[in-house]
Amino acid sequence: MTSATESTSLSRVGDPYPPYPYSWYAVAFAHELRRGTVLTRRFLDGEIVLFRTASGELSAAVPFCPHLGAHVGKGGWIEGDTIVCPFHEFKFAATGMCVSTPTGEPPRGAALTTLPVRNHLGMIMVWHGPEGQPPTFELELPESDPDWHPIATKKLHFHTHPQEVNENGLDHAHFATIHKFRNFVVPKPMEVDGPRIHTEYGGTKPVPVIGGINFHFNSVLIGLGFSLVEIAIQGGLTVRQMVLPTPVAERRVDIYIGISAKKRARNKALRALLAPVERLLGWIVLQVVAYEVQRDQIIWDEKVYLEHPKLAPGDGPIGKYRHWVRQFYTSSS
């Protein structure tokens, strides 16, 4: 029988997860936030409200009205270029400033606390960083790309941390053990560029009947909340993959997945003809990616975090990655 002391010791195996890293994080898909929409999303230890005004201006804010504390994301609505608090109908612009009240001039300094927000490649991204300071880096990506189809999307929920999710892409050994890739290759070593990491790798995924399909991956990780992987698949299909972990509580993340197929034809008529097929193939890839991520979930949900792991030679550049991630935490953390 295990003693109380031994039980306590066993429950403490592993190290505390790091705090929430400073990064851009996905909070919605762009198609969820059309003009006139108000959304409430879990973010870090609380909630944020996302809204898009009638003219299309995008905003993200702490959801509590500075008047008497009502939650503007639950019952609030868009009126013109403002969001209206459901309690006393104070109106707030996308900047957060209160612009009118039913009873007269807005109270001095009345404003929602807003967060930096961007739309990149169909993902709504919000910045988490030191309060009152601007983002320390930008994603530098367009809202959309005319050479690629709109993203097919899926959202999953895991017990893990953004640092662990992104480390997974640099764990070369697990591509064979978890995802069953054969002939795994790394054409060139990982490259670090400030808040970015560039990697390239490939391998063969076993497929019944035909034997296998070759994949080649080119990826960029920007901070700990955004990764973009361009995948060349044997047969001529090219897709973009985004698997974006957003912390919503301690050791809990929402993972936003977006897959977009590349438009292969140059001719407009041929593009229109091929579009349904390419979008369907993108959707199929989305299901495969979600399935593969859920194979990782089996591990993530049950593993512990080890600050000083005993790494093996075939693990990939995990140590170099662990050094790189330090820039996204405060010195005190």
Side-chain angles (χ1 to χ4, degrees), residues 40-41 48 78 89 158 189 201 206 256-257 279 281 312 327:
T40 296
R41 288 290 155 89
I48 57 172
I78 298 299
E89 299 189 2
F158 293 167
Y201 51 93
Y256 291 80
I257 303 177
R279 286 198 295 267
L281 290 172
Q327 66 185 294

Side-chain angles (χ1 to χ4, degrees), residues 230-307:
E230 192 166 307
I231 309 172
I233 304 172
Q234 182 179 342
L237 179 67
T238 302
V239 299
R240 278 176 173 168
Q241 167 190 296
M242 290 176 280
V243 178
L244 313 185
T246 297
V248 296
E250 186 177 355
R251 202 177 177 269
R252 297 184 76 90
V253 299
D254 287 344
I255 293 190
Y256 291 80
I257 303 177
I259 299 291
S260 175
K262 190 172 187 178
K263 299 175 183 178
R264 288 179 287 180
R266 296 286 182 184
N267 178 276
K268 285 187 178 180
L270 188 55
R271 273 198 172 190
L273 186 65
L274 290 176
V277 176
E278 290 171 340
R279 286 198 295 267
L280 174 61
L281 290 172
W283 181 87
I284 291 171
V285 173
L286 172 67
Q287 309 314 310
V288 173
V289 168
Y291 170 74
E292 293 295 336
V293 172
Q294 286 169 316
R295 295 177 80 168
D296 290 311
Q297 180 184 12
I298 296 169
I299 304 298
W300 290 336
D301 280 353
E302 303 299 335
K303 77 185 292 292
V304 298
Y305 174 72
L306 299 177
E307 187 173 353

Side-chain angles (χ1 to χ4, degrees), residues 25-296:
Y25 293 110
V27 290
F29 301 112
H31 64 75
E32 297 181 285
L33 209 61
R34 304 190 188 282
R35 296 183 185 201
T37 302
V38 178
L39 290 178
T40 296
R41 288 290 155 89
R42 293 285 305 278
F43 189 60
L44 308 182
D45 286 321
E47 291 182 328
I48 57 172
V49 60
L50 308 167
F51 63 94
R52 195 184 287 276
T53 68
S55 65
E57 197 167 0
L58 181 64
S59 188
V62 177
F64 303 109
C65 179
H67 176 219
L68 285 171
H71 195 304
V72 300
K74 297 182 178 178
W77 65 91
I78 298 299
E79 189 173 300
D81 282 338
T82 67
I83 186 170
V84 184
C85 175
F87 195 7
H88 294 90
E89 299 189 2
F90 281 35
K91 296 179 182 179
F92 299 88
T95 61
M97 291 301 301
C98 182
V99 294
S100 74
T101 80
T103 56
E105 289 293 315
R108 180 173 300 196
L112 298 173
T113 300
T114 58
L115 304 171
V117 60
R118 310 281 189 269
N119 178 2
H120 289 299
L121 300 178
M123 296 283 185
I124 304 299
M125 309 294 297
V126 164
W127 171 256
H128 163 60
E131 188 174 352
Q133 296 183 28
T136 54
F137 63 91
E138 291 287 346
L139 299 180
E140 297 174 355
L141 294 166
E143 287 193 11
S144 60
D145 190 328
D147 290 329
W148 297 77
H149 290 286
I151 56 174
T153 61
K154 190 177 283 286
K155 184 179 174 183
L156 303 173
H157 313 274
F158 293 167
H159 291 269
T160 188
H161 184 279
Q163 182 176 315
E164 293 264 88
V165 174
N166 292 301
E167 184 171 287
N168 207 59
L170 300 165
D171 179 355
H172 297 165
H174 101 286
F175 283 98
T177 58
I178 299 297
H179 303 292
K180 309 306 177 186
F181 271 88
R182 302 193 307 255
N183 308 318
F184 189 82
V185 295
V186 182
K188 57 183 180 182
M190 178 182 93
E191 296 178 3
V192 172
D193 178 18
R196 292 166 174 77
I197 279 181
H198 299 271
T199 56
E200 185 178 345
Y201 51 93
T204 303
K205 181 75 172 175
V207 176
V209 183
I210 65 173
I213 297 177
N214 294 327
F215 289 79
H216 184 87
F217 303 84
N218 252 305
S219 78
V220 58
L221 172 61
I222 312 175
L224 289 179
F226 192 93
S227 69
L228 180 64
V229 185
E230 192 166 307
I231 309 172
I233 304 172
Q234 182 179 342
L237 179 67
T238 302
V239 299
R240 278 176 173 168
Q241 167 190 296
M242 290 176 280
V243 178
L244 313 185
T246 297
V248 296
E250 186 177 355
R251 202 177 177 269
R252 297 184 76 90
V253 299
D254 287 344
I255 293 190
Y256 291 80
I257 303 177
I259 299 291
S260 175
K262 190 172 187 178
K263 299 175 183 178
R264 288 179 287 180
R266 296 286 182 184
N267 178 276
K268 285 187 178 180
L270 188 55
R271 273 198 172 190
L273 186 65
L274 290 176
V277 176
E278 290 171 340
R279 286 198 295 267
L280 174 61
L281 290 172
W283 181 87
I284 291 171
V285 173
L286 172 67
Q287 309 314 310
V288 173
V289 168
Y291 170 74
E292 293 295 336
V293 172
Q294 286 169 316
R295 295 177 80 168
D296 290 311

